């Protein structure tokens, strides 16, 4: 009888311990500054799906997830500090801000414990070079550029002018990858212009393009807001109607709201909510739960990060950081909401489908195609 | 030749905006001895006024009026709420106060409006262009230049030919003497803020028409350039601020247009180096204030 009581008590304690176990995820989320427009939606989508999972018992239905969310104010130094705080508080996984630079800084801190570190939406492929514990989540710039270059060549574009900024890996890398893929496919880069982030005026660049001896039939940029709106207004204002294409950062309501000047602009995107798709269902559930309409892909990509973590833990059969990192790196055709994802065989920037879309004057986004990058063309970081 | 002419128009357009912002900074500094780093947020608030008016489908003239009025109201509120209590404080205390006001307003814009840029879609006519000979000239830069010249001309008339304007010029030279003569300090300072708000509002209209969006940081970078322009022109000098604005704008456009590709990443550094060289040659600025006031 005594032994039975002891055994029962031991089982009760172990069961309680098992229930009390939780997976601690640190989240860098800039509430202000230049990253806020990207971290905010990505975090909202991530938290929404983590909440849904927790309501069903946690990750894989058994492991409740606990979030430690800290504001970085888009400041890399603050980001490093908050990541250290998260580790001190027991973070077993870190989700970092939506850009390469803060992710690389965070990864230096998480390297010692091999704590898996995944960016909300950083797309510069160089970010995973820091260590085997660092992961992208969104289709990388070189994948987007390859798909866009293939589309441009199929449409008959021959001469491209690249507009790039060395101030960030994204604004520099995207156009350069495009140029490389476009050239491999038989196109020609006829000119380049350099701008600074938050550049006050683009009229000088537009005048240079307009006066070039070898005129482009295509202009490609990975410029984001507010630089892209300033550039496209200056371009169209100078009477230049050359086709403009860009990266996924143009997939925003702000760019679509610019009216006539963005009519016909083509950009890449991480996904498109086809009717009846899992993505469309996510939008519907998110709207019902929060009253907010997810108007860009960062929401759903945040949700997909929750799915990536869940599948990595399931494959690892453990929450040990190194085991989770190793398992994440081996995921093949993982199930996502925006699109499926494959880390196996990559340098931890997932292979995912890239969408190409066109903006219309009335602010609508028109789906053009969805495909994955051709590895034979894909530029290497 | 056409390229040079077109780049000259670009330079005038950008320089004009810097000149208006620099003049707004200089007016307030010359009277209140305040370098108002929150001047950019006055411009941003004007931009949000335009955005709100467009969202409410106001006619374009009403929209522009609301934008400019919003900037004037923000400037007056700033003076009344934040700076009047600091009257007589040291220039450093005032500087820190203005930086604090700037940060507070940015956070308010981010949290109560949006951290993202919001689109401003001016009528398509504004993004059109016209031909003069071989040259294609944009409507927006043309409007920018005309509005800038008109605003600066109007301000010059106001300062030279109205009693309030003359009081302000006198205050810029010797504020204490003006007070001894019975002129109300609060009124003069409030008018100086209103004028700086007016100029920031006009700059906001031109800026948003050219850039197509407004975000919480919109005013930050142009005002930094305008501050450089006021120092280059001669801190406290109204004419100097205008000249400094045009010089900075012209240098920026020329550097963007004609620097070798290999030097392009150093463009801002090169422009600022030229400004430093100019200040080494003329330490009090290109057109220093008569009393030689320096920070």
């Amino acid at each position: 009888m005594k032994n039975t009581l002891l055994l029962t008590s031991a089982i009760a304690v172990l069961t309680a311990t098992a229930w009390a176990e939780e997976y601690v995820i640190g989240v860098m989320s800039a509430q202000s500054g230049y990253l806020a427009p990207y971290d905010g939606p990505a975090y909202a989508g991530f938290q929404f799906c983590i909440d849904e999972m927790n309501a069903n018992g946690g990750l894989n239905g058994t492991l409740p997830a606990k979030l430690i969310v800290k504001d970085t104010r888009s400041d890399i130094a603050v980001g490093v500090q908050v990541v250290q705080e998260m580790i001190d508080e027991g973070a077993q996984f870190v989700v970092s801000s939506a850009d390469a630079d803060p992710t690389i800084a965070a990864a230096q801190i998480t390297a010692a414990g091999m704590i898996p570190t995944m960016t909300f939406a950083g797309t510069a492929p160089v970010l995973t070079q820091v260590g085997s514990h660092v992961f992208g989540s969104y289709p990388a710039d070189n994948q987007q550029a390859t798909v866009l270059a293939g589309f441009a060549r199929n449409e008959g574009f021959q001469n491209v002018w690249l507009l790039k900024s060395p101030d960030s890996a994204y604004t520099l890398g995207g156009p350069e990858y495009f140029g490389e893929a476009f050239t491999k496919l038989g196109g020609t880069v006829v000119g380049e212009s350099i701008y600074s982030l938050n550049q006050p005026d683009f009229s000088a660049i537009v005048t240079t393009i307009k006066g070039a001896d070898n005129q482009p039939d295509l202009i490609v940029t990975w410029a984001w807001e507010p630089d892209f709106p300033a550039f496209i207004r200056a371009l169209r204002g100078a009477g230049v109607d050359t086709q403009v294409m860009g990266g996924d950062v143009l997939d925003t309501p702000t760019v679509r709201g610019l009216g006539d000047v963005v009519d016909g602009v083509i950009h890449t995107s991480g996904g498109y909510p086809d009717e009846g798709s899992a993505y469309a269902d996510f939008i519907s559930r998110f709207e019902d739960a929060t009253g907010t309409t997810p108007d860009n892909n960062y929401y759903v990509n945040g949700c997909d990060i929750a799915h990536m973590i869940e599948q990595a833990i399931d494959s690892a059969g453990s929450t040990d950081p190194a085991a989770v990192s190793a398992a994440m790196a081996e995921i093949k055709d993982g199930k996502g909401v925006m699109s499926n994802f494959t880390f196996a065989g990559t340098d931890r920037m997932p292979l995912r489908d890239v969408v190409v879309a066109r903006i219309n004057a009335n602010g609508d986004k028109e789906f053009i195609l969805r495909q994955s990058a051709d590895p034979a063309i894909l530029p290497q970081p | 030749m056409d390229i040079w002419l077109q780049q000259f128009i670009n330079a005038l357009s950008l320089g004009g905006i810097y000149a208006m912002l620099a003049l707004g900074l200089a007016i307030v500094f010359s009277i209140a001895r305040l370098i108002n780093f929150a001047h950019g947020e006055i411009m941003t608030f004007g931009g949000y006024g335009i955005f709100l008016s467009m969202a409410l489908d106001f006619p374009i003239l009403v929209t522009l009026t609301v934008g400019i009025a919003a900037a004037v109201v923000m400037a007056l509120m700033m003076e009344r709420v934040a700076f009047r209590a600091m009257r007589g404080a040291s220039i450093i205390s005032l500087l820190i106060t203005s930086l604090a006001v700037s940060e507070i307003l940015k956070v308010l814009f981010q949290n109560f409006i949006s951290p993202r840029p919001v689109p401003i879609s001016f009528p398509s006519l504004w993004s059109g262009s016209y031909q003069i000979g071989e040259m294609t000239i944009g409507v927006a830069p043309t409007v920018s230049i005309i509005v800038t010249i008109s605003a600066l001309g109007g301000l010059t008339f106001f300062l030279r030919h109205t009693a309030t304007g003359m009081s302000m010029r006198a205050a810029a030279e010797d504020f204490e003497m003006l007070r001894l003569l019975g002129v109300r300090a609060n009124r003069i300072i409030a008018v100086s803020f209103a004028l700086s708000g007016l100029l920031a509002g006009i700059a906001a209209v031109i800026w948003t028409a050219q850039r197509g969006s407004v975000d919480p940081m919109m005013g930050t970078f142009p005002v930094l350039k305008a501050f450089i322009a006021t120092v280059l022109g001669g801190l406290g000098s109204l004419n100097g601020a205008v000249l400094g604005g045009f010089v900075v704008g012209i240098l920026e456009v020329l550097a963007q247009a004609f620097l070798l590709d290999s030097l392009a990443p150093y463009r801002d550094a090169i422009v600022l180096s030229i400004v430093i060289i100019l200040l080494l040659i003329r330490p009090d600025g290109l057109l220093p204030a008569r009393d030689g006031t320096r920070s």
Side-chain angles (χ1 to χ4, degrees):
Chain A
M1 183 65 187
K2 191 179 171 184
N3 286 343
T4 307
L5 272 174
L6 278 172
L7 185 62
T8 308
S9 302
I11 290 169
V13 168
L14 284 172
T15 307
T17 306
W19 276 108
E21 189 186 352
E22 55 191 8
Y23 191 64
V24 182
I25 304 170
V27 181
M28 296 167 72
S29 179
Q31 305 296 309
S32 57
Y34 80 101
L35 286 170
Y38 313 102
D39 280 9
Y43 168 56
F46 180 67
Q47 186 185 33
F48 173 73
C49 286
I50 288 288
D51 288 346
E52 279 191 335
M53 290 170 181
N54 279 342
N56 291 307
L59 304 174
N60 299 306
T62 57
L63 182 64
K66 176 190 167 190
L67 303 185
I68 304 171
V69 186
K70 291 188 184 282
D71 178 18
T72 67
R73 306 201 301 271
S74 300
D75 183 324
I76 290 181
V78 175
V80 168
Q81 180 191 331
V82 301
V83 169
Q84 187 59 59
E85 289 170 6
M86 290 169 188
I87 294 172
D88 294 344
E89 292 172 35
Q92 296 158 286
F93 196 106
V94 169
V95 182
S96 60
S97 279
D99 193 17
D101 299 334
T103 299
I104 289 168
Q108 311 284 349
I109 308 300
T110 54
M114 283 299 286
I115 296 169
T117 304
M118 178 175 279
T119 175
F120 262 138
T123 51
V126 293
L127 69 88
T128 59
Q129 309 295 310
V130 181
S132 59
H133 64 299
V134 190
F135 297 87
S137 60
Y138 208 79
D141 295 336
N142 52 350
Q143 295 176 38
Q144 294 184 41
T146 301
V147 171
L148 191 63
F151 168 75
R153 287 294 295 140
N154 284 339
E155 291 291 301
F157 291 102
Q158 176 63 40
N159 297 319
V160 66
W161 190 287
L162 304 177
L163 174 66
K164 57 189 186 180
S165 168
D167 294 350
S168 89
Y170 179 87
T171 51
L172 180 66
E176 289 190 338
Y177 292 132
F178 181 94
E180 196 176 328
F182 194 69
T183 306
K184 277 183 191 170
L185 292 166
T188 308
V189 177
V190 294
E192 294 183 349
S193 292
I194 303 281
Y195 72 97
S196 306
L197 296 187
N198 286 298
Q199 178 157 314
D201 181 66
F202 283 85
S203 54
I205 287 177
V206 167
T207 303
T208 302
I209 295 173
K210 222 173 125 180
D213 293 334
N214 203 353
Q215 277 294 301
D217 53 12
L218 173 65
I219 298 170
V220 167
T221 180
W222 254 234
W224 58 50
E225 302 156 3
D227 296 324
F228 181 78
F231 169 69
I232 195 76
R233 285 199 74 87
L235 190 75
R236 299 304 185 226
V240 181
D241 58 2
T242 308
Q243 173 69 51
V244 173
M245 296 187 187
D248 64 295
V249 79
L250 300 187
D251 189 9
T252 72
T254 302
V255 171
R256 289 194 289 274
L258 291 172
D260 293 344
V261 292
V262 289
D263 187 16
V265 167
I266 289 170
H267 62 81
T268 54
S269 184
Y272 190 85
D274 299 303
E275 200 173 325
S277 65
Y279 190 173
D281 182 52
F282 165 82
I283 291 175
S284 172
R285 295 196 324 270
F286 192 93
E287 278 176 344
D288 290 345
T290 66
T292 302
T293 302
D295 56 10
N296 58 62
N297 287 325
Y298 303 114
Y299 289 92
V300 69
N301 196 59
C303 178
D304 273 350
I305 290 173
H307 290 294
M308 290 173 187
I309 295 172
E310 189 174 49
Q311 289 172 47
I313 291 173
D314 188 36
S315 298
S318 155
T319 56
D320 173 66
V324 172
S325 286
M328 182 79 80
E330 293 304 319
I331 291 178
K332 193 171 182 183
D333 206 23
K335 298 298 172 206
V337 178
M338 185 172 80
S339 62
N340 289 352
F341 47 88
T342 292
F343 287 97
T346 72
D347 55 358
R348 298 174 305 290
M349 287 299 285
L351 281 173
R352 304 186 77 173
D353 282 349
V354 175
V355 165
V356 176
R358 179 187 289 110
I359 301 173
N360 294 325
N362 59 5
D364 290 340
K365 182 169 69 172
E366 178 193 341
F367 176 85
I368 297 177
L369 62 84
R370 177 188 282 114
Q371 63 182 216
S372 54
D374 179 355
I377 307 295
L378 192 69
Q380 294 307 306
Chain B
M1 187 60 188
D2 286 347
I3 289 281
W4 278 94
L5 273 175
Q6 292 207 345
Q7 296 294 15
F8 181 66
I9 289 168
N10 298 337
L12 277 186
S13 171
L14 181 62
I17 295 173
Y18 286 163
M20 277 195 289
L21 290 170
L23 188 57
L25 284 174
I27 287 173
V28 170
F29 178 79
S30 64
I31 292 172
R33 292 294 178 264
L34 161 69
I35 300 169
N36 186 10
F37 273 109
H39 195 62
E41 281 58 56
I42 297 174
M43 181 182 170
T44 305
F45 195 67
Y48 281 124
I50 295 167
F51 167 71
L52 180 67
S53 303
M54 286 193 163
L56 295 172
D57 279 335
F58 287 170
I60 188 69
L61 278 179
V62 177
T63 295
L64 302 184
T65 307
V66 168
I68 293 170
V72 173
V73 168
M74 172 56 80
L76 287 170
M77 281 174 52
M78 209 179 267
E79 189 276 328
R80 185 68 188 87
V81 175
F83 296 123
R84 190 171 291 187
M86 298 295 290
R87 187 86 49 83
S90 71
I91 196 166
I92 299 296
S93 302
L94 288 169
L95 184 70
I96 291 170
T97 304
S98 77
L99 285 170
V101 170
S102 166
E103 286 303 310
I104 290 167
L105 287 173
K106 274 195 219 98
V107 170
L108 290 177
F109 294 153
Q110 282 173 346
N111 288 289
F112 287 99
I113 302 175
S114 172
R116 298 185 66 94
V118 290
I120 290 186
S121 180
F122 273 83
S124 53
L125 175 70
W126 286 60
S127 52
S129 59
Y130 58 94
Q131 293 283 136
I132 295 182
E134 293 286 302
M135 286 198 306
T136 308
I137 299 172
V139 171
T142 308
V143 171
S144 163
I145 292 168
I146 292 170
V147 170
T148 302
I149 292 171
S150 306
L152 296 179
L155 189 69
T156 304
F157 179 85
F158 174 79
L159 291 174
R160 290 188 184 281
H161 300 289
T162 66
T164 305
M166 283 188 272
S167 300
M168 291 179 68
R169 286 167 57 214
E173 293 204 8
D174 194 335
F175 193 54
E176 289 308 313
M177 174 57 76
L178 197 72
R179 294 183 74 176
L180 288 173
L181 292 174
V183 176
R184 289 172 55 203
N186 283 347
R187 182 166 171 273
I188 292 298
I189 292 177
V191 172
S192 72
F193 269 87
L195 279 178
S196 77
L198 179 70
L199 291 167
I202 295 170
V205 168
I206 297 171
W207 196 258
T208 51
Q210 291 189 3
R211 294 183 66 84
S213 69
V214 53
D215 63 275
M217 301 289 287
M218 182 184 89
T220 304
F221 296 99
V223 163
L224 275 178
K225 299 288 172 60
F227 176 66
I228 293 167
T230 56
V231 174
L232 177 63
L235 205 54
S237 162
L238 304 189
N239 292 332
V242 174
L243 179 63
F246 278 109
V247 169
V248 172
I250 288 168
L251 285 176
E252 279 197 356
V253 169
L254 291 183
Q256 175 75 65
F258 299 113
L259 267 187
L260 295 173
D261 286 348
S262 57
L263 293 175
Y266 307 102
R267 187 178 59 245
D268 287 345
I270 290 169
V271 169
L272 290 176
S273 299
I274 294 171
V275 169
I276 290 170
I277 291 168
L278 289 172
L279 284 172
L280 285 172
I281 297 168
R282 293 183 67 89
D284 288 334
L286 300 175
L287 289 174
R290 281 186 192 165
D291 62 354
T293 303
R294 305 288 300 167
S295 61

